[in-house]
Amino acid sequence: MAQITLYDTASHRNVLLEDFDAGGVAVQANQHVILDGEEAIILDPGGHKVYSRVLSATLGLLGRGKLTQIFLSHQDPDIVAAVNGWLMSTDATAHVSSLWTRFVPHFGLDRLVEGRLLPIPDEGKTIRVGKTELVAIPAHFLHSPGNFHLYDPTAKILYSGDLGASLGISYREVSDFDAHLPSMEGFHRRYMASRRAMQAWVRRVRELPIDVLAPQHGALFRGPALIGRFLDWCEQLECGVDLLA
Ligand code: FE
């Protein structure tokens, strides 16, 4: 099981847990862990098929540290289905859009831990891990009505959830944007709500210094040229309700 370090200093480390393939027809998903000092956060930890493997890999990364936070970009099963296990086996606090805090418990949240599922208000919030204030950035309707990305200002990584997802590829990083497009196009046209939502998001994230844009499925984008191409593409993409006849 590969652990890819995306950013590494003495006190701050960003790790991609790669190839936790759920197997069969389940969509490939990336799990990310950010460690700062003695604390850590896991992003979109996933469902039951990957739970035990992702949990043991995460605990292995922690050393003397503690998992203190769990970030849930939205309510989909490949993000939250195993959140009860994560809350039962750690002391971490989970964060999800306020639109979903009353729905996620239907995945089977034990009464003992339901108080540790906290809402993210529509405008977003910061989540502290060690000395870093991570920022939950609104990305509503991309694709969920209550949807957030997580920005790490220390590593300059934007974790973009389903936005930027690519399917059916085997490389880890995008090198040729045009060749990569077919693996994103169908998914974004159908799953993203509208061009207006895309444009609002692009306006917001263009202001951020971003070295890496890391989606929850498929390959990541590194560097201003590729990230710029991706933002330009999002800005003009007709999707969702735009395509209703
Ligand atoms: Fe999703």
Side-chain angles (χ1 to χ4, degrees), residues 3-195:
Q3 299 177 1
I4 314 301
T5 299
L6 299 179
Y7 179 89
D8 195 4
T9 62
S11 59
H12 192 92
R13 198 169 154 218
N14 298 57
V15 182
L16 160 62
L17 303 179
E18 198 195 44
D19 253 336
F20 291 104
D21 188 0
V25 296
V27 66
Q28 182 276 339
N30 301 319
Q31 278 79 40
H32 290 274
V33 177
I34 307 172
L35 305 111
D36 191 293
E38 301 282 276
E39 296 183 3
I41 181 171
I42 184 154
L43 280 49
D44 292 346
H48 300 292
K49 282 191 160 196
V50 297
Y51 169 70
S52 58
R53 278 176 293 161
V54 178
L55 180 67
S56 65
T58 302
L59 297 179
L61 282 173
L62 289 175
R64 290 184 300 123
K66 264 181 76 175
L67 188 80
T68 56
Q69 312 285 356
I70 300 166
F71 174 77
L72 307 167
S73 61
H74 61 297
Q75 83 292 0
D76 272 346
D78 57 324
I79 311 282
V80 303
V83 71
N84 188 58
W86 284 91
L87 289 170
M88 293 289 271
S89 56
T90 69
D91 296 322
T93 302
H95 307 265
V96 72
S97 161
S98 60
L99 273 68
W100 301 122
T101 43
R102 287 162 58 83
F103 292 81
V104 168
H106 282 272
F107 280 113
L109 212 50
D110 199 283
R111 282 209 183 279
L112 286 170
V113 300
E114 62 186 13
R116 281 193 277 126
L117 177 68
L118 300 187
I120 307 174
D122 261 352
E123 65 273 19
K125 69 177 181 183
T126 59
I127 299 170
R128 192 176 186 84
V129 176
K131 290 192 169 70
T132 293
E133 297 271 4
L134 302 164
V135 189
I137 292 181
H140 302 310
F141 302 102
L142 302 173
H143 64 91
S144 168
N147 197 106
F148 290 92
H149 297 167
L150 196 72
Y151 179 63
D152 177 346
T154 302
K156 299 187 175 64
I157 297 176
L158 179 66
Y159 295 95
S160 61
D162 279 335
L163 196 62
S166 48
L167 305 173
I169 51 147
S170 54
Y171 46 91
R172 184 187 307 141
E173 289 197 28
V174 178
S175 55
D176 179 338
F177 187 83
D178 296 303
H180 182 65
L181 260 185
S183 67
M184 297 196 295
E185 234 158 7
F187 176 80
H188 286 74
R189 281 192 206 283
R190 185 64 177 89
Y191 281 81
M192 299 300 152
S194 74
R195 188 174 171 208

